[in-house]
Structure formats: structure tokens, C-alpha cells
Amino acid sequence: MDYDLTDAGYYGEFGGAYIPEILYANVEALRESYLKITGDPAFKAELDALLRDYAGRPSPLYFAGRLSERYATRIYLKREDLNHTGSHKISNALGQILLARRMGKTRIIAETGAGQHGVATATVCALMGMPCVVYMGETDIARQRLNVQRMEMLGAEVRPVTCGSKTLKDATNEAIRDWCCNPSDTHYIIGSTVGPHPYPDMVARFQSVISEEVKRQLAERIGRDYPDYLVACVGGGSNAAGTFYHYLSDGRVNLIGAEAAGLGVDTDQTAATIHLGKQGIIHGCRTLVMQTDDGQITEPYSISAGLDYPGVGPLHASLAASGRAEYFAITDGEALAAAAELTRLEGIIPALESAHALAVLRKKNFRPTDVIVITVSGRGDKDMETFGKSKVESRI
Ligand SMILES: *Cc1c(COP(=O)(O)O)cnc(C)c1O
């Protein structure tokens, strides 16, 4: 099948490892050891205990009664917003820091957009007593103040990035630059299913705990361990990859991703990579990239800092190309409306990123008997300022 991963890290034609010479030994060491280390029963036991006692897993699977009534179908929410630090990012950060320790690394770096991955990384670094540098674009620093304060309180150094659009893409460039200068002692904890192989696969595996839990929880609740639809938002694609993971080859399950259309796919203010991207290389990976005709990477835009990335994980590029998964482009306005709706119907304020997944409910007709699992990737506290500015209350 198209999404089978080759040894060189390709999902179909997407993936691989396009890296500067100086990082070759690092990435190669990671590639050679990640499956061995993560497959070790002692590693698994340590990670499982942390996921349970520290992160609060399993995250609940909640039947959203009033939302289901409104859309005349059966909707379950996978509550990643209830994890420690407020999103799915903590599962990957815990996995990678345990891996880094076993590889003898003593310093951690990370990039962050909305700040959730930065917070998760700063958190696990505090937990393990390791120094942590987080690269973050100045634009994101301004719109995600709360997360910057959290990272600093946790002891991380937040380095502002002032080039390009001063968002996630630029922060990632700076993190890679740092890694090139410190290849021997530093592990780079990438926050999504992007970057050179083995990162997309490694991060998907750490997030696959989501679909592992969904299977068990659905079996208990409805007597069958699969839904008709899985829905998740896609930035780099890690919460979606984790949501889909154990169902990838189960044809009974329809997979839906929601990417950020920004002001619309027919404008230049957008981050809808799957709809608008062409094949290219970004941050060490061959995938769909939003670019000009002569191959310059386009500055992405979304109201949601966690989704404005001009690339997408190679797994999703492949799932889109093969038609295995369907991707919707959700505008800022549609996401804001979906966030308001969930808040008023269920008393759950979702992250703006997650609201893109919820907006799929208005884009597609579901049958009354369908079981839909939507991953709420994070909570909305960090987005309160944005919600306030857009008068989200009036949109219900
Ligand atoms: C980071 C983030 C995302 C986007 O990242 P993916 O790798 O696509 O999951 C989505 N939702 C929240 C809450 C996030 O913090």
C-alpha cells in the first residue's frame, strides 16, 4: 500500500532525508537506533508509566450529545485537550526525551508555532533536568504570550526568530541551524510528523497511542473497535497521524484531515498545503510545499499559529495522493464558528487548531448511524485573545 514506509523513509514518493552533510551522522544514528530503543520493553514501561501518571493518559473518549443532536449523527471527541500541558504534543515530547537520554544527549532544542510543542518540550526538560532552547517566531511570540511565559517559567530559553514571516517555518530553520552547530550533544525534538526520516515515522509512532486508545475505548462503548469516520486537523500532521495510525489499512474507516485555508484557498493568505502545494523539499523532507512557480516557499497564513506551515508531513501527502484520506480546507471564519459552537453546546473551549477539525461537521453530511471520532488536539486557553478580538461569542 502507498503508506507503507520504505527503509529510506518514503511513503510513496514523499519523505526521505535531505539534510546537510554535518547532520548526516546524527540523523543516521537516530535512524539506526529509534526502533531498537523504542522497542525495548524497559523503554516502553518507562514511557507508558509517564504517559499514564504524568501526562494523564488515556485521554477520555467523550460522547458529545448536544453536538451529535445538532448534526444528527453520533459524534465522539478524543480529548487530547485534557492531557498535561493541554495538547497531544506531550506524548511525543516524552517519547523523544527518553530516546535522547538513552542516546547520551545532554541538551534539547525545539521549534514551536503556537507554543504548545515548546511548552511540552520545556516541560519534559524540567522533568528530566535537561537544558532546553526553544526557537519561536516573533509573530507567534506576540500572539501566544501565555505559552512564552509558561516556557520561561519552566526554565527554557525562548529564542525569538526574526526572519521570514517570523512563524513556524522560520523557527524550524533556526532550530536546524542550531543542530548543525551542536550535532554531538544536542537532540532536536521535532514537534510534528515533518523533517527528515526517521522523524515523521518516529513522531507518528509516539502519537499512535491516540488510535490505540480509540480502538479500546470504542470497543467498550459501542461494541466495535472502529468508527465510520476519523477527523483531525493537520498542521504538520502529528495528531492526525496518531488518530489514523492503527486504522490506516482498515478500509471500513474513512479518514478526514482538516487543513487551514486561512482567508481562503483562492487567496494568498492561506496555509492549505494539500490543496495548493506542489512537490518540493522543506526541512529535510520531500513533500507537498506551498511555493511560487520558480520554487520559492510561500509565506503561509492562518489565524491558528499551530497550522500555518507551508509544508505537510509526507504521510499526509501520500494519503492525499492515493485518496486514502480526504482533506478539507477550513477558513479562519469557519474555524472560529466551530470553536464557538463546541463551546456553547458542550462547554469545551477547543484550540483554534482543533476547531478546524470540528468545522468539518458543516462541510460533509453524515448519516444518523455513523460513528465519528473527532480529535480535539488541544484546549483553547492560549487562543482567548484571538477569540476575543474576533468577537467569537457573536458567531453562534
Ligand atoms: C501543534 C498543534 C497542532 C498541529 O500540529 P500537528 O502536528 O498537525 O498535530 C494542532 N493542534 C494543537 C492543539 C497543536 O498544539
Side-chain angles (χ1 to χ4, degrees):
M1 272 172 276
D2 277 342
Y3 41 81
D4 272 350
L5 188 67
T6 67
D7 287 343
Y10 282 89
Y11 304 86
E13 47 194 325
F14 304 103
Y18 299 81
I19 48 172
E21 192 71 33
I22 183 106
L23 288 182
Y24 185 80
N26 264 37
V27 173
E28 186 58 18
L30 200 58
R31 190 184 70 77
E32 276 179 2
S33 56
Y34 82 109
L35 290 178
K36 225 180 297 166
I37 294 175
T38 56
D40 173 20
F43 180 95
K44 279 192 180 154
E46 190 176 3
L47 179 56
D48 285 352
L50 284 171
L51 289 174
R52 185 188 64 228
D53 303 331
Y54 187 73
R57 303 206 72 99
S59 65
L61 185 71
Y62 165 69
F63 177 68
R66 296 186 70 206
L67 194 65
S68 295
E69 211 169 286
R70 170 150 309 179
Y71 288 97
T73 187
R74 295 193 284 167
I75 301 166
Y76 287 84
L77 304 178
K78 182 59 174 160
R79 299 289 309 277
E80 293 296 303
D81 58 315
L82 293 179
N83 293 331
H84 180 43
T85 70
S87 79
H88 64 292
K89 298 278 188 354
I90 191 73
S91 310
N92 169 54
L94 282 168
Q96 283 201 50
I97 201 153
L98 292 186
L99 182 75
R101 271 207 326 196
R102 277 173 170 72
M103 293 182 73
K105 303 294 180 180
T106 54
R107 174 178 179 264
I108 298 293
I109 58 171
E111 84 297 337
T112 199
Q116 287 302 115
H117 175 57
V119 168
T121 303
T123 297
V124 299
C125 286
L127 178 68
M128 300 294 166
M130 282 167 88
C132 176
V133 173
V134 179
Y135 290 91
M136 187 170 189
E138 270 194 335
T139 305
D140 291 335
I141 287 179
R143 59 180 169 175
Q144 304 287 345
R145 251 336 297 165
L146 178 65
N147 276 343
V148 175
Q149 288 168 339
R150 291 166 83 194
M151 285 183 270
E152 287 174 347
M153 183 160 176
L154 287 158
E157 180 191 341
V158 180
R159 290 201 187 151
V161 176
T162 55
C163 34
S165 58
K166 303 171 191 160
T167 61
L168 184 55
K169 159 180 72 69
D170 315 289
T172 307
N173 286 336
E174 284 309 308
I176 292 173
R177 219 160 279 156
D178 179 314
W179 206 23
C180 289
C181 297
N182 305 282
S184 57
D185 66 338
T186 298
H187 176 69
Y188 176 18
I189 300 189
I190 295 185
S192 188
T193 42
V194 299
H197 178 63
Y199 280 102
D201 182 52
M202 181 170 70
V203 176
R205 285 169 186 267
F206 285 138
Q207 292 297 353
S208 72
V209 64
I210 298 175
S211 52
E212 198 181 301
E213 290 173 4
V214 167
K215 272 197 138 173
R216 213 167 48 230
Q217 290 166 323
L218 277 180
E220 276 167 21
R221 302 292 274 289
I222 63 167
R224 63 170 159 106
D225 69 355
Y226 66 95
D228 299 291
Y229 291 89
L230 286 166
V231 186
C233 67
V234 177
S238 70
N239 86 89
T243 301
F244 298 169
Y245 199 87
H246 291 285
Y247 296 105
L248 282 169
S249 54
D250 186 341
R252 298 169 301 186
V253 183
N254 298 287
L255 310 177
I256 298 179
E259 60 175 357
L263 299 185
V265 289
D266 47 359
T267 71
D268 59 2
Q269 298 292 301
T270 179
T273 310
I274 290 174
H275 284 80
L276 301 173
K278 295 186 204 69
Q279 240 193 69
I281 290 168
I282 184 168
H283 300 139
C285 175
R286 175 173 290 284
T287 185
L288 295 173
V289 182
M290 294 208 307
Q291 53 190 299
T292 59
D293 287 339
D294 52 2
Q296 293 296 320
I297 292 174
T298 315
E299 300 296 348
Y301 164 79
S302 162
I303 193 171
S304 143
L307 299 183
D308 68 351
Y309 185 65
V312 66
L315 170 66
H316 294 289
S318 172
L319 292 175
S322 69
R324 173 65 185 100
E326 183 181 8
Y327 294 85
F328 288 90
I330 304 296
T331 64
D332 289 356
E334 290 167 336
L336 287 167
E341 183 174 73
L342 185 72
T343 303
R344 291 298 177 87
L345 287 178
E346 299 287 349
I348 298 168
I349 303 178
L352 262 170
E353 292 82 6
S354 322
H356 287 72
L358 292 155
V360 167
L361 289 169
R362 294 199 191 178
K363 291 271 175 178
K364 194 170 173 87
N365 286 322
F366 298 101
R367 290 171 309 189
T369 51
D370 282 339
V371 171
I372 302 155
V373 173
I374 305 177
T375 295
V376 180
S377 53
R379 62 176 190 234
D381 308 37
K382 67 183 177 60
D383 299 312
M384 288 316 298
E385 235 174 88
T386 311
F387 287 141
K389 274 193 206 123
S390 42
K391 296 216 174 44
V392 69
E393 318 79 52
S394 66
R395 289 169 181 271
I396 192 99

